[in-house]
Amino acid sequence: GNSVTQMEGPVTLSEEAFLTINCTYTATGYPSLFWYVQYPGEGLQLLLKATKADDKGSNKGFEATYRKETTSFHLEKGSVQVSDSAVYFCAFITQGGSEKLVFGKGTKLTVNP
Amino acid sequence: DAGVTQSPTHLIKTRGQHVTLRCSPISGHKSVSWYQQVLGQGPQFIFQYYEKEERGRGNFPDRFSARQFPNYSSELNVNALLLGDSALYLCASSLDYYEQYFGPGTRLTVT
């Protein structure tokens, strides 16, 4: 069935460290891929997206590349800041019928000064 | 432009009661989806509505129902509340099928 597997957290980094959060997916059809971020006490914000193979989504210094051959969409940032502390969710959506998002369990990131 | 709004922000209910949650989509968005997020988990799809018609339903019991109004706002209703219904309920609106924008959520606590 459809599912998303994310790297388990929590992840704790020092400011300016390099971040990678791994994400792989199992989907029927050809999905569009997303990263959402959830700050404490808030709803989800769309961070970046990619809709076809080899597309690179980017926003606020975060990047992720749609790898169809490995069914992966890993999130990266070259230099994290304290303000990046949040929970990150990888998700996908497939067309046809209800266009529901399928989410991973989330990865909590804490960045220390 | 205003984002997705949800009301109430928080509420506390007792087992067996009924609850109604409300959502107003971004102006111009005709699709609304509802998700349940249990603490420590990713959101789970409950319903999707487009142009007042139900387009999809997740794996939730019949105690959960929803509707969409002519102005595209939506309500989620949950009957006979159980302790396990305690969660953050998220509403998302979209213009096209795939880019969904979420509201801040309603935190429901069932005691």
Side-chain angles (χ1 to χ4, degrees), chain A:
Chain A
N2 293 333
S3 66
V4 174
T5 301
Q6 275 183 246
M7 137 184 196
E8 293 220 4
V11 173
T12 302
L13 296 173
S14 298
E15 208 164 22
E16 300 183 2
F18 184 84
L19 169 70
T20 299
I21 300 178
N22 291 336
C23 169
T24 58
Y25 64 90
T26 301
T28 53
Y30 198 170
S32 295
L33 305 177
F34 304 87
W35 278 98
Y36 280 85
V37 59
Q38 188 173 36
Y39 297 99
E42 298 185 10
L44 276 70
Q45 297 179 22
L46 178 61
L47 181 60
L48 54 82
K49 64 182 188 289
T51 58
K52 60 183 188 295
D54 300 324
D55 266 2
K56 177 183 283 188
S58 62
N59 186 28
K60 300 180 182 180
F62 291 90
E63 293 182 340
T65 301
Y66 190 144
R67 300 291 187 198
K68 191 169 186 290
E69 64 277 11
T70 55
T71 63
S72 65
F73 193 53
H74 305 320
L75 182 68
E76 297 182 335
K77 186 174 185 183
S79 176
V80 293
Q81 306 300 311
V82 172
S83 57
D84 294 327
S85 298
V87 180
Y88 292 81
F89 292 93
C90 183
F92 70 81
I93 197 166
T94 54
Q95 197 174 10
S98 67
E99 283 77 33
K100 66 176 184 178
L101 281 163
V102 177
F103 286 89
K105 291 185 177 181
T107 302
K108 183 176 181 179
L109 170 67
T110 300
V111 180
N112 295 319

Side-chain angles (χ1 to χ4, degrees), chain B residues 9-110:
Chain B
T9 305
H10 299 88
L11 74 166
I12 299 173
K13 291 286 190 178
T14 304
R15 277 177 295 176
Q17 286 188 316
H18 163 271
V19 68
T20 298
L21 310 180
R22 295 179 175 82
C23 171
S24 291
I26 292 170
S27 177
H29 287 192
K30 298 181 179 180
S31 178
V32 169
S33 300
W34 287 94
Y35 294 81
Q36 181 196 63
Q37 186 181 16
V38 173
L39 194 63
Q41 299 293 317
Q44 297 291 315
F45 173 75
I46 310 175
F47 285 108
Q48 185 182 78
Y49 278 78
Y50 179 80
E51 290 274 19
K52 296 167 287 180
E53 297 290 326
E54 182 182 304
R55 283 175 58 87
R57 182 187 184 112
N59 188 23
F60 280 80
D62 291 343
R63 299 185 295 107
F64 288 76
S65 63
R67 55 180 175 167
Q68 186 176 33
F69 298 100
N71 66 353
Y72 304 112
S73 67
S74 178
E75 282 183 355
L76 175 69
N77 295 283
V78 187
N79 292 323
L81 285 167
L82 303 174
L83 294 178
D85 295 331
S86 296
L88 180 67
Y89 288 85
L90 295 163
C91 173
S93 76
S94 58
L95 183 60
D96 52 34
Y97 82 95
Y98 76 98
E99 195 159 324
Q100 298 189 14
Y101 294 89
F102 284 80
T106 294
R107 173 73 63 188
L108 171 65
T109 302
V110 182

